[in-house]
Amino acid sequence: MAPSAVETITVPVPEVNPVKLQSAHHRGVYKELAPVAFDKEAELAGKEGFQAAKYPHYLPTWNPEQKYPALEPFEHYEHGKDADTSYKNLLPEGTAVNHLTPTIGTEVRGIQLSALTNAGKDELARFVAERKVVAFRQQDFADLPIEEALKFGEYFGRHHIHPTSGSPEGFPEIHLVHRSAGDNSVDLFFANRTSSVAWHSDVSYEQQPPGITFLYILEKPETGGDTLFVDAVEAYNRLSPLFQERLHGLKATHSGIEQVNSAAARGGIKRREPVVNEHPIIRTHPATGEKAIYVNPQFTREIVGLKKEESDTLLKFLYDHLAYGADFQARVKWEPGTVVVWDNRVTQHSALVDWKDGQRRHLARITPQAERPYETPFQANA
């Protein structure tokens, strides 16, 4: 197990009314669709026309004995600041680069992430910050020893250990996304819902949420299970200068309480006590200087200092602005061997649960934490 597993230890949080937040027991779509158990024997052996899991050592476990103290602040180093923006170490001659949209999303073929030098990793951090999400095809991440994948990821920050999600046995730093073969429980979900879309930035309730984030495919349905991404920088840029200026200086609370409560209600685990933190609504990226909208409907609860109706109205506008902005979104289709890298500071994303044949979808996420969100002064046309 990587040493970072024992480094997750406290975070003093701002004075927030815990009773108020506990009573607002909100369960977003993201939590409702997150399984907390599966038939392990069936996944190992295969059943009803489905093959056995290709990566059994990546099957999720939920160990109730995994208990960690609160996260302590740490000094994050932003490697994107050191990058050579000619990207000669990341994208050498002969690399195929295809931009999916003008502002967000790129596909790269012809390089191997696991072979990057530190200079290449610096350029990776900057390139992803610029392009927001990058799909690297034909990668070997899934076949590396888990220790090696974690070693690669820790270059970008301290590993985050999720408070409730499944992880490979012995590796709580890996967050697993897993829907087992033959699992049609989503039918119950759609009996009362019209969409599985649930926009969020990962664990934004932490005092130091993730920056550069890695998600690699293990198994996928033949069709479906894509991931949507939205460019929160372009979303900010589309606002009028007057509205941008009004958002500067505002902070919102982000809560992990509901996620833990929801997992517990379904028989899940709690590795750490949930936290609530305040973050600026407009945050600045430390390498690019770009400003991004930083609120999401899964974890953001209220705007500090506003009355409920005022806060709800403003947050709804921002959520809708991001969700309906199809002209600054990208849709990533998974292929075998794909590693998707995105910057959680300047994007939001949503998985899509749209396949109906019960095929397995299995992915692993490495989630390095970054700096505490901060804002810089408003500048018109900045």
Side-chain angles (χ1 to χ4, degrees), residues 79-94:
H79 288 284
K81 292 180 177 180
D82 298 334
D84 177 347
T85 53
S86 71
Y87 301 117
K88 63 183 181 182
N89 299 287
L90 175 67
L91 306 172
E93 188 175 350

Side-chain angles (χ1 to χ4, degrees), residues 96-101 105-108 131:
V97 178
N98 175 40
H99 296 315
L100 302 180
T101 80
T106 298
E107 282 186 319
V108 175
R131 293 301 304 161

Side-chain angles (χ1 to χ4, degrees), residues 33-111:
L33 283 172
V36 296
F38 69 100
D39 186 341
K40 184 176 181 179
E41 289 187 6
E43 281 290 87
L44 290 173
K47 69 167 188 177
E48 300 172 2
F50 296 105
Q51 293 184 343
K54 185 177 179 181
Y55 293 91
H57 60 299
Y58 268 105
L59 287 175
T61 63
W62 292 267
N63 183 353
E65 296 182 2
Q66 287 177 345
K67 298 290 185 182
Y68 298 95
L71 296 171
E72 286 190 346
F74 74 101
E75 185 175 354
H76 171 71
Y77 186 82
E78 178 53 49
H79 288 284
K81 292 180 177 180
D82 298 334
D84 177 347
T85 53
S86 71
Y87 301 117
K88 63 183 181 182
N89 299 287
L90 175 67
L91 306 172
E93 188 175 350
T95 304
V97 178
N98 175 40
H99 296 315
L100 302 180
T101 80
T103 71
I104 178 173
T106 298
E107 282 186 319
V108 175
R109 299 178 189 270
I111 67 129

Side-chain angles (χ1 to χ4, degrees), residues 342-355:
W342 71 95
D343 196 321
N344 257 305
R345 295 168 288 193
V346 291
T347 62
Q348 291 181 29
H349 60 279
S350 176
L352 296 178
V353 185
D354 57 353
W355 71 103

Side-chain angles (χ1 to χ4, degrees), residues 180-251:
S180 58
D183 180 356
N184 288 310
S185 60
V186 71
D187 293 342
L188 297 175
F189 172 83
F190 282 121
N192 294 296
R193 296 278 187 163
T194 60
S195 175
S196 63
V197 174
W199 291 105
H200 63 285
S201 178
D202 292 319
V203 297
S204 65
Y205 48 75
E206 300 290 12
Q207 187 182 63
Q208 292 180 249
I212 299 298
T213 305
F214 303 83
L215 186 64
Y216 49 103
I217 194 73
L218 302 168
E219 291 187 74
K220 59 179 285 296
E222 184 176 349
T223 304
D226 301 344
T227 304
L228 300 177
F229 290 86
V230 61
D231 181 350
V233 171
E234 185 64 16
Y236 171 80
N237 291 339
R238 296 287 181 91
L239 300 175
S240 68
L242 188 63
F243 198 76
Q244 291 174 342
E245 186 174 15
R246 173 60 278 192
L247 294 177
H248 277 264
L250 294 178
K251 293 186 176 182

Side-chain angles (χ1 to χ4, degrees), residues 174-375:
I174 298 285
H175 167 97
L176 291 174
V177 179
H178 174 257
R179 188 162 297 279
S180 58
D183 180 356
N184 288 310
S185 60
V186 71
D187 293 342
L188 297 175
F189 172 83
F190 282 121
N192 294 296
R193 296 278 187 163
T194 60
S195 175
S196 63
V197 174
W199 291 105
H200 63 285
S201 178
D202 292 319
V203 297
S204 65
Y205 48 75
E206 300 290 12
Q207 187 182 63
Q208 292 180 249
I212 299 298
T213 305
F214 303 83
L215 186 64
Y216 49 103
I217 194 73
L218 302 168
E219 291 187 74
K220 59 179 285 296
E222 184 176 349
T223 304
D226 301 344
T227 304
L228 300 177
F229 290 86
V230 61
D231 181 350
V233 171
E234 185 64 16
Y236 171 80
N237 291 339
R238 296 287 181 91
L239 300 175
S240 68
L242 188 63
F243 198 76
Q244 291 174 342
E245 186 174 15
R246 173 60 278 192
L247 294 177
H248 277 264
L250 294 178
K251 293 186 176 182
T253 59
H254 296 242
S255 171
I257 293 172
E258 298 79 7
Q259 185 177 66
V260 167
N261 287 348
S262 180
R266 292 177 288 123
I269 63 170
K270 179 176 70 174
R271 295 187 180 94
R272 229 177 17 254
E273 290 298 320
V275 297
V276 177
N277 276 290
E278 293 178 2
H279 298 312
I281 286 179
I282 305 301
R283 71 179 295 181
T284 300
H285 193 284
T288 66
E290 293 181 316
K291 300 176 187 294
I293 298 172
Y294 196 67
V295 294
N296 69 87
Q298 292 301 302
F299 301 124
T300 307
R301 294 294 169 259
E302 59 190 10
I303 298 175
V304 178
L306 296 189
K307 294 183 178 181
K308 175 175 171 50
E309 293 85 353
E310 297 166 339
S311 174
D312 289 350
T313 298
L314 184 50
L315 286 174
K316 183 179 186 304
F317 170 80
L318 294 174
Y319 298 157
D320 287 349
H321 176 52
L322 289 157
Y324 299 151
D327 51 348
F328 45 86
Q329 294 176 8
R331 180 172 181 143
V332 174
K333 289 188 171 293
W334 293 94
E335 299 176 5
T338 296
V339 177
V340 171
V341 190
W342 71 95
D343 196 321
N344 257 305
R345 295 168 288 193
V346 291
T347 62
Q348 291 181 29
H349 60 279
S350 176
L352 296 178
V353 185
D354 57 353
W355 71 103
K356 301 179 180 180
D357 53 11
Q359 290 185 318
R360 183 182 295 109
R361 185 176 187 265
H362 193 188
L363 306 94
R365 190 181 82 199
I366 296 174
T367 318
Q369 291 176 257
E371 75 283 351
R372 186 169 189 169
Y374 67 93
E375 65 175 323

Side-chain angles (χ1 to χ4, degrees), residues 147-160:
E147 294 91 342
E148 289 188 25
L150 287 171
K151 181 68 176 176
F152 180 92
E154 73 181 15
Y155 184 82
F156 302 91
R158 182 178 69 185
H159 287 303
H160 181 261

